[in-house]
């Protein structure tokens, strides 16, 4: 069994979890919900095992480094963070319904990864050989996971709010999702977790830059985009303090924030140039 | 009038506006080339756009007057807003009522009243047990006719936002201080030579160092069996007052630090004064002329050969750790490149030219390119980061919760009042409150219930 096989198992676990979360929405049977959660947990466990094994494999090849160094590895970690962040939300807020939105995101990321990015383990270029890489990437990506959850919830918020205005029918699928008030709070909560982590991600990046070349901030596009993301979520947090900005407008800001996350992650790599040559 | 300006300056609306403006304008600098030279802009954008960019300082926007103005406005906004709001927050932290009177009870969103079937003193004990189980340490206020149990938890949670705001001001101080006092530069040191001046970036001056740095050797290490670089390193020696103070091999990500000045391994190359000495042979292996000593970029001819040769590149270790040369040959309109390798002296014979070359000797010296930076504001910036993380933790994960329970002592059958409030997570708090209310109901039922 190699790490790629474990990644494949996790991919399918997320796919089946998606089916069962959707079925849970429709039927609301406890057993279906439990199967969905079990599949999601199984996926996360196998996925984590896959990451660990890949780490070991790289050492066996004599080019040992944490499995967080290229697009394939960081995407995989991103999907793992999304699912782990979601399971925490499910457990803390007892809302299984959101799994129908989040599990497919993790599945799509892993599937896209398998289709578009090579999974071979490559040696690290010198600029990435630093322990700071580990701290920097982990904090950044766990925050991305939390933001992805808030993104899913914000979309749901907007859809549900629109439907409620038109008069929501009892028993329709949207009616099964939590109340707008609860959605708004879970949204805030996941940003309240994501924001400090993003801050830590930016700080560890700056610490690395300073340790490595004596400059903690150089306005390189990746740095700048992470700061842009940070500004947007700071705006979100403050928006909640003034009345008019709760609910819909806050959800919109959170969506914009996640678009900035995605651009920081992909757009900068593929569209702009800078120091960061990886994800 | 001043009031109006102050209120606007201290408003959260302005904060949201400024944060969004900062996010949007920051995008420009990631799309438009920053701090390039004029030719680059002219080539990429044309004269008209370049003029516009330059006028709006978009070619160096993060240091432009208008971007700095937004940042300064944000700092003023944070400062005034925090000052304006702090007194109220402080009152909420420190001056909570110790007694649950009827007015306070009515004001609370989370409240309940529970019938008690047991005598007051027992009810107080039971209530205390329930509240301590749910919320922790209880204080007691005894009045003539009633007793209030009171929990005040995480009062400092309200400080979190202010700590974060303070950290941003500290960060600004560190950044400005470092920007004014520090410097950044770049220097090349040729192997076997030393420098004591660093040309500053973006300026025409150099910084004189109170020590000299010599480079003994520069190396590139490859992953085994590949052409992929594993590491770049330089052996450096620091001299002060003529004596060796420190020797260090620096690599990418592992800089030399002297007096707080960072020397970071950033680039490398071959020194322009490097030369190669070539022997010339005719195809039968006889010497066909005097040896030729040339530097990179120089051209040369061989007597009786119509070709013109030029040294394209001197390569310090191309095969088996030995040097090589890339040569261009021009004959009429044709042009071809070939390599000479010290490790394979007879290789050039097979090229089939009218003469062939062997490397007799090389004098190749590399230089190491060091990025140099000194920033005395860094400790202040790290302090700010630590304070910020601490503040964020407190702001988001410490809730200020207050719970009151009042037991009336006089009439036997009176209700026990419970009320509570939390400054965050209303839904979570509500669940918690409901569950403690249910427990309280159970506890006050007495044995018969
Ligand atoms: C980049 C800049 C800023 C950051 C990172 C920041 C951070 C924070 C954080 C983390 C909180 C706690 C949020 C919450 O509890 O949900 C907060 C609260 C707050 N911020 Fe900011 N802030 C910034 C700028 C500002 C500015 C410019 C203002 C000016 C009006 C402001 C006003 C407030 C207020 C009024 C609160 C609520 C305080 C309270 O709960 O008593 N912030 N800020």
């Amino acid at each position: 069994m190699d790490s790629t096989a474990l990644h494949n198992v996790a991919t399918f676990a997320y796919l089946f979890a998606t089916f069962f979360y959707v079925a849970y929405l429709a039927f609301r049977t406890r057993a279906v919900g439990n199967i969905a959660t079990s599949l999601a947990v199984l996926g996360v466990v196998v996925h984590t095992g896959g990451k660990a094994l890949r780490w070991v494999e790289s050492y066996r090849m004599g080019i040992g480094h944490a499995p967080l160094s290229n697009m394939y590895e960081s995407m995989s970690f991103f999907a793992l963070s999304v699912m782990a962040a979601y399971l925490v939300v499910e457990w803390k807020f007892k809302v299984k319904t959101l799994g129908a939105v989040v599990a497919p995101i993790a599945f799509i990321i892993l599937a896209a990864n398998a289709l578009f990015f090579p999974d071979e383990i490559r040696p690290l270029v010198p600029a990435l050989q630093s322990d700071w890489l580990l701290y920097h990437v982990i904090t950044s990506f766990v925050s991305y996971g939390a933001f992805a959850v808030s993104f899913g919830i914000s979309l749901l918020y907007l859809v549900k709010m629109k439907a409620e205005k038109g008069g929501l029918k009892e028993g329709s699928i949207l009616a099964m999702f939590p109340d707008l008030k609860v959605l708004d709070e879970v949204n805030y909560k996941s940003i309240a977790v994501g924001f400090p982590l993003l801050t830590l991600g930016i700080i560890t990046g700056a610490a690395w830059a300073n340790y490595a070349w004596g400059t903690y901030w150089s306005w390189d596009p990746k740095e700048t985009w992470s700061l842009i993301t940070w500004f947007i979520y700071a705006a979100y947090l403050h928006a909640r303090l003034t009345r008019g900005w709760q609910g819909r407008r806050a959800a919109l800001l959170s969506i914009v924030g996640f678009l900035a996350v995605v651009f920081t992650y992909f757009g900068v790599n593929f569209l702009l140039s800078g120091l960061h040559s990886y994800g | 009038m001043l009031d109006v300006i102050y209120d606007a300056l201290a408003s959260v609306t302005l904060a949201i506006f400024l944060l969004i403006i900062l996010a949007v304008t920051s995008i420009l600098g990631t799309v438009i080339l920053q701090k390039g030279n004029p030719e680059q802009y002219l080539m990429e954008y044309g004269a008209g756009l370049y003029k516009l960019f330059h006028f709006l300082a978009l070619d160096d926007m993060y240091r432009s007057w208008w971007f700095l103005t937004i940042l300064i406005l944000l700092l003023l906004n944070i400062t005034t807003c925090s000052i304006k709001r702090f007194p109220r927050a402080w009152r909420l932290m420190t001056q909570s009522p110790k007694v649950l009177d009827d007015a306070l009870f009515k004001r609370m969103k989370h409240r309940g009243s529970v019938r008690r079937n047991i005598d007051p003193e027992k009810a107080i004990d039971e209530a205390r047990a329930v509240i301590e189980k749910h919320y922790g340490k209880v204080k007691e206020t005894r009045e003539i006719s009633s007793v209030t149990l009171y929990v005040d938890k995480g009062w400092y949670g309200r400080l979190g936002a202010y700590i974060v705001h303070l950290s941003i001001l500290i960060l600004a101080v560190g950044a400005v201080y470092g920007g004014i006092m520090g410097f950044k530069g770049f220097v090349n040191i040729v192997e076997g030579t030393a420098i004591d001046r660093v040309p500053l970036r973006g300026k025409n001056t150099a910084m004189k160092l109170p020590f000299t740095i010599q480079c003994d050797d520069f190396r590139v290490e490859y992953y085994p069996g590949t052409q992929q670089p594993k590491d770049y390193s330089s052996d450096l020696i620091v001299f002060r007052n003529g004596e060796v103070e420190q020797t260090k091999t620096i690599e990418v990500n592992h800089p030399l630090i002297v007096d707080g000045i960072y020397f970071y391994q950033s680039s490398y190359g071959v020194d322009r004064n490097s030369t190669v000495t070539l022997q010339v042979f005719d195809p039968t292996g006889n010497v066909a002329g005097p040896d030729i000593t040339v530097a990179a970029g120089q051209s040369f001819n061989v007597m009786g050969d119509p070709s013109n040769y030029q040294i394209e590149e001197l390569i310090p270790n191309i095969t088996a750790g030995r040097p090589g040369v890339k040569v261009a040959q021009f004959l009429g309109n044709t042009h071809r490149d070939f390599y000479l390798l010290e490790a394979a002296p007879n290789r050039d014979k097979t090229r089939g030219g009218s003469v062939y070359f062997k490397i007799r000797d090389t004098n190749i010296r590399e230089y190491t390119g060091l990025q140099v930076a000194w920033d005395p504001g860094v400790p202040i910036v790290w302090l700010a980061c630590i304070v910020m993380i601490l503040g964020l933790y407190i702001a988001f994960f410490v809730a200020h919760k207050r719970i009151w329970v009042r037991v009336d002592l006089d009439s036997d059958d009176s209700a026990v009042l419970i009320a509570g409030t939390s400054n965050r997570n209303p839904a979570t708090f509500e669940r918690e409150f409901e569950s403690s209310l249910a427990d309280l109901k159970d506890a006050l039922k007495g044995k018969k219930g």
Side-chain angles (χ1 to χ4, degrees):
Chain A
M1 200 82 168
D2 65 0
S3 62
T4 306
L6 291 182
H7 273 83
N8 292 342
V9 173
T11 312
F12 280 99
Y14 296 152
L15 177 64
F16 290 124
T18 305
F19 292 151
F20 278 91
Y21 276 120
V22 172
Y24 176 75
L25 266 188
F27 305 123
R28 286 285 170 153
T29 20
R30 191 186 207 120
V32 173
N34 286 344
I35 295 174
T37 305
S38 310
L39 281 166
V41 171
L42 174 80
V44 166
V45 170
V46 173
H47 196 162
T48 310
K51 287 310 267 181
L53 184 57
R54 200 176 159 91
W55 203 334
V56 173
E57 283 167 354
S58 76
Y59 272 92
R60 281 203 204 118
M61 294 168 66
I63 48 176
H65 57 80
L68 301 167
S69 69
N70 58 19
M71 212 61 199
Y72 177 88
E73 295 180 341
S74 70
M75 288 261 285
S76 147
F77 189 64
F78 180 46
L80 182 58
S81 307
V82 169
M83 274 319 274
Y86 163 72
L87 283 177
V88 172
V89 170
E90 178 179 314
W91 171 64
K92 281 208 76 142
F93 291 89
K94 312 272 178 282
V95 279
K96 272 188 198 300
T97 38
L98 297 176
V101 188
V102 180
I105 297 180
F107 165 71
I108 289 169
I109 295 173
L110 279 195
N113 218 5
L115 286 180
F116 299 119
F117 297 105
D119 69 346
E120 62 179 330
I121 300 178
R122 310 255 317 156
L124 278 185
V125 299
L128 296 186
Q129 292 162 14
S130 169
D131 288 343
W132 285 104
L133 173 71
L134 193 60
Y135 312 133
H136 175 52
V137 175
I138 287 184
T139 46
S140 304
F141 275 80
V142 176
S143 82
Y144 293 177
F147 291 142
V149 170
S150 105
F151 170 73
I153 293 172
S154 300
L155 283 182
L156 202 57
Y157 185 98
L158 294 181
V159 173
K160 186 160 183 188
M161 196 182 79
K162 192 140 188 246
E164 278 187 2
K165 276 210 184 112
L168 199 54
K169 278 200 295 289
E170 273 293 310
S172 78
I173 288 206
L174 277 176
M176 311 244 167
F177 284 108
D179 269 1
L180 287 184
K181 242 177 62 193
V182 176
L183 288 178
D184 192 46
E185 183 169 337
V186 179
N187 193 5
Y188 170 76
K189 260 280 155 189
S190 38
I191 290 178
V193 171
F195 190 75
L197 283 168
L198 176 65
T199 311
L200 260 182
I202 295 175
I203 290 176
T204 48
W208 180 9
N210 186 68
Y211 171 73
W213 51 87
T215 310
Y216 56 85
W217 195 262
S218 40
W219 293 104
D220 123 291
K222 194 108 180 169
E223 281 173 357
T224 308
W225 269 95
S226 67
L227 187 67
I228 290 169
T229 309
W230 192 75
F231 282 142
I232 296 173
Y233 284 112
Y236 169 94
L237 291 172
H238 292 83
R240 287 181 57 95
L241 302 171
T242 52
R243 282 242 176 66
W245 280 81
Q246 261 168 27
R248 192 177 77 94
R249 283 212 252 178
L252 282 174
L253 254 185
S254 147
I255 288 172
V256 173
F258 189 67
L259 294 182
V261 167
V262 172
F263 194 84
T264 310
Y265 186 15
F266 295 108
V268 174
N269 290 8
F270 295 125
L271 303 177
L272 309 172
S273 60
L275 291 170
H276 287 73
S277 54
Y278 65 102
Chain B
M1 182 60 200
L2 270 175
D3 283 13
V4 178
I5 295 175
Y6 184 80
D7 282 349
L9 192 59
S11 71
V12 179
T13 312
L14 179 64
I16 300 169
F17 178 73
L18 290 175
L19 288 168
I20 292 177
I21 289 287
L22 277 172
V24 172
T25 53
S26 294
I27 296 175
L28 292 174
T30 69
V31 184
I32 298 168
L33 176 72
Q34 296 294 294
K35 294 200 280 190
N37 45 34
E39 298 85 69
Q40 282 172 295
Y41 288 103
L42 286 174
M43 239 174 61
E44 202 156 324
Y45 308 107
L49 265 186
Y50 174 49
K51 234 177 166 167
L52 181 71
F53 288 172
H54 196 69
F55 178 70
L56 296 174
L58 289 176
D59 49 358
D60 189 9
M61 67 157 276
Y62 302 111
R63 284 160 199 77
S64 68
W65 61 270
W66 59 266
F67 195 73
L68 293 180
T69 305
I70 304 176
L71 287 177
I72 290 168
L73 264 180
L74 184 77
L75 294 179
L76 283 176
N77 187 209
I78 293 179
T79 313
T80 50
C81 177
S82 300
I83 290 175
K84 189 172 154 191
R85 294 195 176 222
F86 189 72
R88 184 171 161 270
W90 185 250
R91 272 199 303 281
L92 282 167
M93 276 182 267
T94 55
Q95 299 173 7
S96 291
K98 307 269 181 298
V99 174
L100 182 62
D101 57 26
D102 292 341
L104 179 63
F105 182 71
K106 288 225 178 67
R107 268 214 321 273
M108 290 293 137
K109 185 162 159 249
H110 303 283
R111 57 175 191 236
S113 78
V114 181
R115 260 183 67 86
R116 69 173 156 83
N117 299 325
I118 52 182
D119 74 79
E121 290 303 332
K122 236 176 131 193
I124 293 170
D125 286 344
E126 293 283 354
R128 177 183 290 116
V130 168
I131 297 305
E132 291 207 329
K133 183 180 123 216
H134 281 271
Y135 303 100
K137 197 90 192 83
V138 165
K139 287 191 211 95
E140 184 179 311
T141 312
R142 215 162 247 277
E143 291 187 308
I144 300 165
S145 62
S146 72
V147 168
T148 302
L149 302 177
Y150 167 51
V151 180
D152 184 358
K153 224 176 117 180
W155 59 273
Y156 59 95
R158 291 184 191 270
L159 278 182
Y162 297 93
I163 297 176
V164 177
H165 294 164
L166 181 66
S167 76
I168 289 169
L169 300 180
I170 301 175
L171 185 72
V173 170
V176 169
Y177 179 68
I180 292 173
M181 303 293 291
F183 66 85
K184 288 186 172 54
F186 195 92
V187 67
N188 292 333
I189 313 179
V190 176
E191 285 173 324
T193 67
I195 55 101
D196 67 350
R197 282 172 184 282
V198 176
L200 296 183
R201 194 157 78 202
K203 302 198 183 99
N204 290 326
T205 52
M207 185 81 184
K208 171 100 172 60
L209 302 173
F211 48 85
T212 57
I213 295 190
Q214 178 174 320
C215 174
D216 269 1
D217 189 24
F218 169 82
R219 289 177 303 276
V220 184
E221 193 190 332
Y222 296 90
Y223 282 102
T226 70
Q227 284 289 73
Q228 184 172 356
K230 181 168 184 209
D231 214 347
Y232 308 100
S233 49
S234 307
D235 296 338
L236 301 182
I237 307 174
V238 181
F239 292 92
R240 201 189 299 259
N241 305 324
E243 282 174 39
V244 175
E245 180 181 277
Q246 194 186 144
T247 63
K248 177 163 176 153
T249 301
I250 64 166
E251 309 158 39
V252 180
N253 278 333
H254 299 282
L256 167 74
I257 305 168
V258 190
D259 296 355
I261 306 175
Y262 279 67
F263 297 86
Y264 170 69
Q265 180 70 60
S266 166
S267 69
Y268 66 98
V270 171
D271 181 32
R272 262 182 308 169
N273 297 322
S274 299
T275 56
V276 60
T277 304
L278 303 177
Q279 290 175 294
V280 190
F281 299 93
D282 65 22
T284 60
N286 295 318
V287 172
D291 290 356
I292 299 163
T293 298
V294 272
Q298 281 185 347
S299 302
F300 59 94
N301 291 93
V302 177
M303 280 261 280
D305 180 348
S307 296
N308 188 17
Y309 299 94
Q310 184 175 23
I311 302 292
E312 298 254 276
E313 199 181 347
L314 299 177
I315 304 156
N317 40 38
I318 185 166
T319 49
R322 315 257 304 266
V325 192
K326 184 180 179 191
V327 186
Q329 179 182 14
F330 300 93
L331 179 60
N333 286 330
T334 65
H335 161 218
R336 67 181 288 207
D337 288 335
F338 60 93
Y339 285 88
L340 303 175
L341 309 175
E342 196 182 68
N346 290 322
R347 198 177 105 113
D348 197 38
K349 227 177 193 168
T350 58
R351 175 166 52 92
S354 55
V355 292
Y356 74 93
F357 303 99
K358 273 187 196 175
I359 295 177
R360 162 171 290 233
D361 192 17
T362 57
N363 175 20
I364 300 180
R365 288 201 299 176
E366 289 174 280
Y367 65 81
T368 181
L370 304 180
Q371 196 161 306
V372 186
W374 183 59
D375 186 341
V378 165
I380 304 173
V381 170
W382 290 157
L383 174 72
C385 290
I386 292 169
V387 172
M388 187 181 294
I389 291 297
L390 189 81
L392 286 173
Y393 179 81
I394 293 174
F396 291 124
F397 301 110
V398 179
H400 184 201
K401 293 181 201 166
R402 289 172 297 169
I403 313 289
W404 296 266
V405 174
R406 190 179 90 198
V407 179
D408 289 336
L409 298 172
D410 43 6
S411 63
D412 263 354
D413 226 16
S414 71
V416 170
L417 301 184
I418 176 168
T421 173
S422 166
N423 70 330
R424 53 181 54 250
N425 306 340
T428 317
F429 183 73
E430 185 168 339
R431 272 203 298 278
E432 210 172 56
F433 186 82
E434 293 302 328
S435 124
S436 58
L437 182 61
D439 283 359
L440 194 64
K441 274 184 183 146
D442 269 357
L444 298 184
K445 257 185 214 148
K447 295 277 157 4
K448 28 185 177 157

